Amino acid sequence: MTQTADTPIADLRSQLRGEVVDADAPGYDESRRVWNGAIDRRPLVVARCLDEADVQAAVRFAVEHGLEIAVRGGAHSMSGASVVDDGIVIDLAAMNQVTVDPATRRAVVAGGALLGDVDAATQAHGLAVPAGLVSHTGVAGLTLGGGMGWLTRLGGLTIDNLLSVRVVTADGQVRVASESESPDLFWAVRGGGGNFGVVTEFEFALHEVGPLIHYGLLFWSLDRGLEMLRHVRGVIDTLPDDVNVIVGAISAPPAPFVPEQHRLSPGYATIVVGTGTAESHADVCAALAGGVPPLFEFTTPMPYVELQKMLDDANGWGLHCYDKGCYVTELSDEVVDALTTHVPEKTSPMSIVLLYRLDGAFSRVAEDATAFGGGRSPRFGVFVIGVCPSPELLPAERAWVRATADALRPAAADDGIYVNSMTEFDAVSSVQAAYSPGKYARLVEIKTTYDPDNVFHRNANIVPALP
Ligand SMILES: Cc1cc2nc3c(=O)[nH]c(=O)nc-3n(C[C@H](O)[C@H](O)[C@H](O)COP(=O)(O)OP(=O)(O)OC[C@H]3O[C@@H](n4cnc5c(N)ncnc54)[C@H](O)[C@@H]3O)c2cc1C
């Protein structure tokens, strides 16, 4: 796609209710900033849309002037897909309204909302959408890739709770997609990322959750990793439906509940979240601690909205990051060996490995019901994330992420990759490898129908078929 330097931005300003920010406008630097501090790009213009008509006008303008489009929801994509050099950023941040109908247990969420916006509105009624762990993540990018977090075992992926979307496609038209209307498009947006257009509205089914949940953190030192991982896998295999466990190689938080001498020490943890009774949560914590005694443990009831914000500060804007992911079907000896060999070699204390448990409601959804990149058999979603505070430290963390991901590869499931865990696409973790051959072929077909010229390509790109 060609880019033009003399684009009539004044035209665009006259068509939008929202602000149009170019390099000469105050606030330009703020408007091009994304979550990953390693990304620094200079768009020609940022269209801060206020409503669906603004989005339509921005898409039409971009296509007419041959401008490359980046669509921005919460700006958390590791690769910086939501900002583009010399092109147009279609920014939905101001479109963050959430409306909840407690009677039908449904929420309508505008395309630029953050997870925290949804949690605040839904928890007012004791309801929730299963989503991610950090409240400043965007609903749009997270949902379009799949969406996994504390409620995945209880309610499935975020896409498993999606009822309909409104999408502005490459021709500037608004399309509604659901099981009964444009079902092909509805299938594709549930896992196929931002390939099919700009989603201006999501409608979700809600689950009863909270307002209080049960939280537990159990932490082991680095040298107990092998024994601890071998023990916890047995407990995780038999979890009740109302408890979820994320296993992590993390540093102990500098929190008051952590004994002072252990704060910021590297090690392994299980984070245990119960949405049912205190007893079932306590039983799981006791079983996890029962094999290899943790260095410390902490359990408490807490509001669900607080749980959702607990990791916000540790994952603040401006950190320099690089991520790679895979699925493993079990914490086999091979996986445990790969982790315990590589985790001690990270140089930044902020770098982490997280293993999200995916079973229960996640596995009750048919493999081909959505375009999700990955199978539905019980498994762990593994994220290896290099995180550091400054650019000069990133090359070492990137090398560590790659080495750890390479070591896990022989044990990885070969039925897909979670597109939201990919920072870049290479020969091994290509977009094609993210989907089963059948899903990929169907995605190409639907992409060719709705976006034949590949207008929306700053994503895990599905390339349309040639005419
Ligand atoms: C701190 C942090 C925590 C995370 N935690 C989790 C987690 O717990 N669970 C999980 O599943 N994932 C998690 N992720 C990964 C996250 O799902 C992806 O980074 C996701 O892409 C973020 O969405 P966004 O809207 O914030 O990002 P953006 O960068 O704005 O967008 C991401 C992609 O979606 C496209 N897009 C954005 N908005 C729209 C829209 N309205 N219509 C069409 N396309 C759009 C963009 O063009 C881009 O390709 C986390 C990421 C970070 C950085």
Side-chain angles (χ1 to χ4, degrees):
M1 186 165 282
T2 54
Q3 290 147 21
T4 54
D6 58 349
T7 310
I9 290 171
D11 261 14
L12 182 62
R13 285 209 172 94
S14 70
Q15 294 173 41
L16 254 63
R17 281 212 307 130
E19 209 183 342
V20 173
V21 182
D22 63 11
D24 299 327
Y28 174 73
D29 283 333
E30 192 50 35
S31 73
R32 67 188 182 86
R33 207 174 153 228
V34 291
W35 176 86
N36 187 351
I39 310 288
D40 180 16
R41 298 196 186 120
R42 301 185 66 82
L44 187 68
V45 66
V46 178
R48 290 182 160 161
C49 299
L50 291 185
D51 55 27
E52 193 171 73
D54 277 3
V55 174
Q56 287 181 278
V59 169
R60 287 191 176 123
F61 178 87
V63 171
E64 189 186 331
H65 294 280
L67 286 176
E68 192 172 9
I69 294 177
V71 183
R72 177 188 168 118
H76 275 46
S77 86
M78 288 273 177
S79 65
S82 40
V83 63
V84 57
D85 278 328
D86 302 322
I88 180 169
V89 174
I90 301 182
D91 178 2
L92 279 79
M95 295 171 60
N96 63 351
Q97 306 77 7
V98 181
T99 314
V100 179
D101 181 349
T104 56
R105 289 198 189 163
R106 289 181 177 197
V108 174
V109 178
L114 305 182
L115 301 193
D117 299 319
V118 177
D119 291 334
T122 53
Q123 276 292 283
H125 305 280
L127 300 167
V129 181
L133 309 186
V134 173
S135 83
H136 47 71
T137 313
V139 172
L142 178 127
T143 302
L144 295 169
M148 49 187 75
W150 293 123
L151 303 182
T152 312
R153 301 193 67 244
L154 184 81
L157 294 168
T158 312
I159 48 171
D160 300 334
N161 299 281
L162 192 59
L163 298 170
S164 69
V165 283
R166 290 176 68 88
V167 190
V168 175
T169 45
D171 55 5
Q173 297 295 316
V174 177
R175 290 183 160 79
V176 176
S178 67
E179 289 291 1
S180 56
E181 226 173 321
S182 301
D184 56 344
L185 182 58
F186 188 53
W187 179 85
V189 297
R190 287 176 292 161
N195 271 287
F196 305 92
V198 186
V199 178
T200 53
E201 199 172 276
F202 297 87
E203 183 192 12
F204 292 108
L206 303 172
H207 294 261
E208 264 184 52
V209 173
L212 283 185
I213 55 86
H214 303 281
Y215 172 84
L217 172 69
L218 292 82
F219 191 89
W220 290 263
S221 57
L222 266 190
D223 57 343
R224 307 303 296 272
L226 198 75
E227 302 153 81
M228 168 270 181
L229 290 168
R230 285 183 177 163
H231 168 68
V232 303
R233 66 187 172 196
V235 180
I236 290 174
D237 276 349
T238 58
L239 287 177
D241 273 359
D242 60 1
V243 179
N244 198 354
V245 174
I246 287 183
V247 180
I250 62 173
S251 294
F257 61 79
V258 176
E260 213 166 329
Q261 70 274 25
H262 300 315
R263 288 181 196 162
L264 298 176
S265 314
Y268 296 90
T270 53
I271 308 166
V272 188
V273 167
T275 48
T277 63
E279 289 72 31
S280 84
H281 180 256
D283 287 350
V284 172
C285 291
L288 288 167
V292 184
L295 208 51
F296 65 87
E297 66 179 287
F298 170 73
T299 60
T300 181
M302 70 165 69
Y304 176 73
V305 282
E306 290 311 315
L307 170 76
Q308 290 291 92
K309 290 182 197 159
M310 210 173 176
L311 301 174
D312 283 7
D313 290 346
N315 292 282
W317 275 64
L319 292 167
H320 294 248
C321 295
Y322 183 83
D323 184 10
K324 260 183 174 310
C326 66
Y327 299 111
V328 296
T329 51
E330 52 177 350
L331 283 178
S332 61
D333 286 347
E334 209 176 3
V335 172
V336 170
D337 287 349
L339 291 174
T340 51
T341 303
H342 287 276
V343 165
E345 289 173 4
K346 65 178 183 164
T347 46
S348 167
M350 304 174 91
S351 292
I352 55 175
V353 182
L354 294 178
L355 293 97
Y356 288 47
R357 185 60 182 154
L358 307 174
D359 67 350
F362 167 88
S363 294
R364 292 193 282 274
V365 175
E367 294 273 339
D368 57 359
T370 71
F372 177 62
R376 291 292 188 141
S377 57
R379 59 191 54 217
F380 294 88
V382 186
F383 295 75
V384 185
I385 314 174
V387 186
C388 50
S390 55
E392 68 280 5
L393 301 175
L394 190 57
E397 292 319 290
R398 197 185 287 123
W400 172 77
V401 170
R402 288 180 177 151
T404 309
D406 284 349
L408 286 166
R409 186 158 301 121
D414 62 1
D415 56 5
I417 303 171
Y418 183 35
V419 289
N420 283 353
S421 68
M422 296 162 124
T423 309
E424 60 182 357
F425 304 100
D426 52 33
V428 181
S429 42
S430 66
V431 176
Q432 199 158 347
Y435 302 99
S436 66
K439 277 186 188 176
Y440 188 75
R442 192 170 171 201
L443 283 166
V444 170
E445 204 177 295
I446 299 168
K447 175 80 173 176
T448 310
T449 304
Y450 290 97
D451 185 14
D453 298 324
N454 209 3
V455 165
F456 299 107
H457 60 258
R458 297 196 62 80
N459 40 46
N461 193 223
I462 311 286
V463 180
L466 289 172

